[in-house]
């Protein structure tokens, strides 16, 4: 087997990966409150500002108030951002700057475990942030349906998906500056195209057909109806797309990380 | 056997970029011994340790770590090994005690199991009462010692230490030496890399000199010295003032006389190193050379190291 194909061999995981997850959790716990507030403040300000401000100009979107429309999208893109930031900036500092991963690899833990632990940890952290935002949304009365609780697992899956995509960048990054490209070229356009702030039906036909392939579109398609108390259409398809992005991106991220650290 | 390496080859890169960093290394550690790996910068010491731990796949050769084949069962083997890496990798987000607890977690050791051992581990590293100290508040020497304590959380059979005392003051080096001797006395096998000849001479039961990925010498410090170098050294330096000629240095003196009076003579900077089995004729000659000064001493490991690896800078 050549080295390049060896990097693409399937992950070999052990339960020790939870020790790595726990390490990140213990660090987070030290600063849990500021961390949650940090993840919460920005999306909530945007949601309230745009929701009330624009909401005056746009009385109804798809049959609901603009702010109720915005709530589901906000939950999705803030989850995406939280997961992405975690694997990009914190992940890179653990991998490259602090050499935390190298220290862990001296124990009976393989790189595969570490990358998987980072994936699950980033999803967990983004899900915690998502739950906090959901609580704010409920407190303001923008959702009243018990179906909103079903959004939580979708938020976790969204976190996994964007953590996996972000890990590809982390594996490739020469320095922190590299991540700016990812945000400008991928995350920001996706936020605008995925129906977070306005319905995708407003997009020109060709743009729309591409935008509908983006993972964030699928998250929004699931979460928004749930918050509005409706069963989403095509649940299986949306879940499958998010899961497929997660698996393929994780596999690629793992291969690139192995190439970087195990050569 | 704690570690057995046979025919280890490691190549980095491919095609025109390919570089053989290890070229057929054989190394076998005996239980309970302290083995020192010496070699200039870039010799391949760290790469040897990474291969031994299964952190990079060897290009050829076989490795058994604590009886298990590596890289196939590297994960299981590493459970019995402690590592002090060349570059500090303590967790800056945790205190000293938390670093030990979290690291023990990577071995599947519960917090309730490791907590009672923390005072003992910190005391071993000379860090009594530092359990709540943050990593940023530690000096370089303290970090190195904490890293040693961290390597012991799993009570390893084998300790791999990559330059454990580089950058430390003499006090800290002596403490580490004393602790390592204590560990070998308790039966732990140690493999350490170092650039300090005195460290190797003092600590190691056996040592190897590595250069360009090959072992140049292996054996006990005495054996290596006896096998590779003349027993006596006379270092000659200062101004040479032969009658009727302008003053000149030790190099000019060596060109004129060293060949006849010593077996081998090397010039390094302003000093001539004369190697010989019997220094008496040379010393008698030097007594009549005004301006030249000399130092007569037995040959040591550094002489062997410089003879085998050369005196030029490496990178
Ligand atoms: N991942 C890598 N990719 C390419 N070359 C590498 C890699 N790791 C090490 N090398 C090269 O292999 C050679 C041996 O490196 P190694 O780190 O093993 O040396 P060392 O003996 O530990 O040196 P030092 O005393 O400076 O720590 C060096 O020339 C180094 O540049
Ligand atoms: Mg090294």
């Amino acid at each position: 087997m050549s080295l390049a194909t060896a990097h693409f061999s399937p992950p070999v995981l052990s339960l020790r990966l939870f020790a790595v997850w726990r390490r990140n959790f213990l660090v987070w716990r030290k600063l849990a409150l500021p961390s949650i507030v940090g993840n919460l403040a920005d999306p909530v300000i945007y949601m309230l500002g745009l929701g009330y401000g624009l909401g005056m100009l746009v009385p109804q979107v798809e049959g609901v108030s603009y702010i109720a429309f915005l709530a589901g999208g906000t939950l999705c893109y803030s989850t995406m951002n939280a997961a992405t930031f975690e694997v990009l900036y914190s992940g890179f500092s653990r991998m490259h700057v602090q050499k935390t991963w190298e220290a862990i690899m001296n124990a009976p833990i393989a790189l595969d475990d570490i990358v998987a632990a980072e994936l699950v940890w980033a999803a967990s952290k983004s899900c915690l942030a998502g739950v906090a935002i959901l609580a704010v949304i409920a407190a303001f009365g923008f959702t009243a349906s018990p179906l909103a609780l079903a959004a939580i697992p979708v938020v976790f899956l969204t976190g996994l998906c964007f953590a996996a995509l972000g890990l590809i960048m982390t594996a490739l990054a020469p320095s922190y500056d590299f991540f700016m490209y990812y945000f400008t070229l991928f995350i920001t356009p996706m936020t605008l195209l995925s129906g977070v702030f306005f319905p995708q039906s407003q997009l020109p036909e060709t743009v729309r057909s591409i935008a509908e392939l983006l993972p964030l579109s699928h998250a929004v398609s699931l979460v928004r109806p749930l918050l509005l108390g409706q069963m989403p259409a095509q649940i299986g398809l949306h879940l499958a797309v998010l899961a497929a992005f997660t698996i393929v991106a994780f596999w690629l991220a793992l291969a690139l990380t192995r190439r970087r650290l195990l050569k | 056997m704690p570690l057995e390496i046979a025919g280890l080859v490691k190549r980095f890169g491919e095609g025109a970029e390919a570089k053989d960093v290890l070229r057929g290394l054989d190394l076998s550690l005996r239980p309970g011994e302290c083995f020192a790996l010496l070699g200039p910068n870039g010799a391949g010491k760290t790469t040897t340790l990474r291969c031994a731990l299964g952190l990079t796949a060897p290009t050829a050769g076989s490795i058994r770590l604590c009886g298990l084949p590596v890289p196939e069962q590297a994960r299981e083997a590493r459970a019995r090994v402690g590592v002090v890496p060349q570059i500090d990798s303590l967790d800056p987000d945790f205190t000293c005690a938390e670093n030990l607890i979290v690291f023990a977690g990577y071995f599947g050791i519960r917090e309730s199991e490791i907590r009672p051992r923390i005072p003992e581990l910190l005391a071993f590293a000379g860090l009594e009462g530092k359990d709540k100290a943050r990593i940023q508040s530690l000096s370089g020497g303290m970090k190195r010692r904490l890293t040693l304590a961290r390597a012991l959380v799993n009570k390893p059979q084998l300790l791999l230490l990559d330059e454990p005392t580089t950058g430390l003051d003499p006090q800290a080096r002596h403490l580490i030496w004393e602790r390592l001797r204590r560990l070998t006395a308790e039966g732990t096998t140690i493999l350490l890399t170092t650039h300090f000849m005195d460290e190797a001479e003092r600590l190691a039961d056996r040592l190897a000199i590595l250069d360009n990925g090959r072992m140049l010498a292996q054996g006990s410090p005495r054996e290596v010295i006896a096998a590779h170098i003349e027993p006596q050294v006379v270092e000659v330096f200062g101004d040479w003032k032969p009658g009727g000629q302008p003053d000149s240095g030790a190099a000019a003196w060596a060109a004129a006389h060293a060949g006849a009076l010593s077996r081998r003579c090397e010039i390094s900077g302003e000093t001539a190193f004369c190697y010989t089995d019997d220094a008496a004729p040379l010393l008698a000659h030097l007594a009549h050379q005004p301006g030249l000064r000399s130092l007569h001493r037995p040959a040591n490991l550094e002489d062997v190291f410089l003879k085998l690896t050369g005196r030029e800078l490496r990178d």
Side-chain angles (χ1 to χ4, degrees), chain B residues 94-231:
Chain B
F94 292 127
T95 64
C96 292
E98 287 168 341
N99 259 283
L100 301 178
I101 293 167
V102 169
F103 204 77
Y106 302 145
F107 288 85
I109 302 170
R110 270 184 234 281
E111 185 168 342
S112 58
E113 232 176 298
I114 188 75
R115 230 185 227 293
R117 288 179 54 216
I118 299 252
E120 167 209 338
L121 283 165
L122 288 177
F124 187 84
L127 294 168
E128 291 91 343
K130 288 279 176 197
D131 35 339
K132 293 208 171 62
R134 300 197 64 81
I135 300 304
Q136 292 88 331
S137 71
L138 302 183
S139 70
M142 289 162 124
K143 284 184 194 158
R144 218 67 195 123
R145 275 140 54 199
L146 183 60
T147 306
L148 176 61
R150 187 182 73 174
L152 298 174
V153 292
N154 58 324
K155 302 187 176 160
Q157 298 171 12
L158 170 64
L159 257 187
L160 302 181
L161 306 121
D162 201 354
E163 300 191 22
T165 63
T166 296
L168 299 194
D169 63 23
Q171 290 85 345
R173 290 176 69 199
H174 280 275
L175 180 126
I176 292 209
W177 290 346
E178 191 269 320
R179 297 306 201 251
L180 294 184
R181 254 185 250 115
R182 213 193 279 181
L183 287 168
T184 44
E186 289 164 5
T188 311
T189 309
I190 292 180
L191 171 59
L192 65 89
T193 77
T194 181
H195 289 297
F196 299 112
M197 302 299 141
D198 57 333
E199 183 162 295
E201 241 176 308
R202 225 174 255 246
L203 282 182
D205 301 304
R206 289 193 303 145
L207 58 88
I209 297 176
L210 184 68
D211 194 17
N212 289 316
R214 269 189 242 278
M215 293 287 196
L216 302 180
Q218 208 176 130
S220 74
R222 274 161 188 268
E223 281 167 8
V224 168
I225 294 168
H228 290 276
I229 203 141
E230 301 76 8

Side-chain angles (χ1 to χ4, degrees), chain A residues 55-78:
Chain A
M56 311 253 224
L57 307 172
V58 195
Q60 293 248 301
V61 179
E62 294 184 340
V64 296
S65 74
Y66 181 56
I67 198 159
F69 172 86
L70 200 55
T74 300
L75 180 51
C76 292
Y77 92 80
S78 60

Side-chain angles (χ1 to χ4, degrees), chain A residues 260 263, chain B residues 12-13 19 21-22 39-48 50 86 162-163 193 195 210 315:
Chain A
R260 178 174 184 145
K263 63 172 183 179
Chain B
F12 285 114
K19 184 176 165 200
V21 166
L22 300 177
N41 290 131
K45 302 179 295 296
T46 302
T47 305
T48 306
R50 289 186 68 224
Q86 183 168 357
D162 201 354
E163 300 191 22
T193 77
H195 289 297
L210 184 68
D315 36 27

Side-chain angles (χ1 to χ4, degrees), chain A:
Chain A
M1 197 161 46
S2 96
L3 224 55
T5 51
H7 289 147
F8 280 96
S9 64
V12 181
L13 301 177
S14 78
L15 288 176
R16 292 273 160 81
L17 73 88
F18 289 103
V20 182
W21 184 94
R22 189 164 172 274
R23 179 246 165 239
N24 291 346
F25 172 75
L26 291 174
V27 175
W28 175 83
R29 200 178 62 179
K30 292 190 171 210
L31 292 167
L33 202 62
S35 162
I36 289 191
V37 171
N39 280 326
L40 201 59
D42 208 53
V44 166
I45 290 168
Y46 266 86
M47 182 177 70
L48 297 179
L50 289 176
Y52 285 122
L54 278 180
M56 311 253 224
L57 307 172
V58 195
Q60 293 248 301
V61 179
E62 294 184 340
V64 296
S65 74
Y66 181 56
I67 198 159
F69 172 86
L70 200 55
T74 300
L75 180 51
C76 292
Y77 92 80
S78 60
T79 301
M80 168 182 80
N81 279 344
T84 305
F85 265 99
E86 181 64 20
V87 291
L88 260 53
Y89 290 93
S90 310
F92 187 75
S93 84
R94 288 190 284 266
M95 173 185 78
H96 186 73
V97 184
Q98 298 173 190
K99 309 276 177 216
T100 312
W101 293 11
E102 280 173 36
I104 298 172
M105 279 191 280
N106 289 326
I109 295 187
L111 183 60
D112 296 15
D113 294 323
I114 298 174
V115 181
E118 291 287 347
L119 174 85
V120 178
W121 162 248
S124 312
K125 183 177 167 181
S126 66
C127 191
L128 277 168
V131 168
I133 289 170
L134 192 57
V136 172
I137 291 170
F140 276 90
F142 305 138
T143 180
S145 164
L147 266 184
L149 290 176
I152 295 174
V154 179
V155 163
F156 185 75
L157 180 59
T158 307
L160 282 177
C161 178
F162 286 101
L165 287 166
L167 281 168
I168 298 174
M169 293 300 120
T170 309
L172 293 172
S175 72
Y176 291 109
D177 301 330
F178 184 72
F179 299 137
M180 271 309 295
Y181 297 112
Y182 184 60
F183 276 99
T184 334
L185 298 177
F186 187 65
I187 295 289
T188 309
M190 181 159 53
T191 312
L192 293 172
L193 294 174
S194 296
V196 170
F197 298 109
F198 55 86
Q200 280 180 314
S201 55
Q202 300 299 311
L203 293 169
E205 193 52 41
T206 44
V207 179
R208 183 180 164 177
S209 51
I210 297 168
E212 281 173 349
L213 301 175
L214 296 170
L216 188 61
S217 303
H218 295 275
V220 173
S221 301
L222 289 167
V223 168
R224 174 170 294 135
L226 289 172
L227 295 203
L228 297 173
Q230 304 153 5
M231 272 317 266
Q234 296 182 301
I235 297 182
L237 171 77
H238 296 308
L239 289 176
V241 171
L242 286 172
F245 266 106
T246 306
I247 290 166
V248 174
F250 176 70
W251 183 54
L252 183 57
L254 183 61
L256 292 170
T257 312
R258 286 169 174 169
R259 190 187 68 171
R260 178 174 184 145
L261 296 183
L262 300 182
K263 63 172 183 179

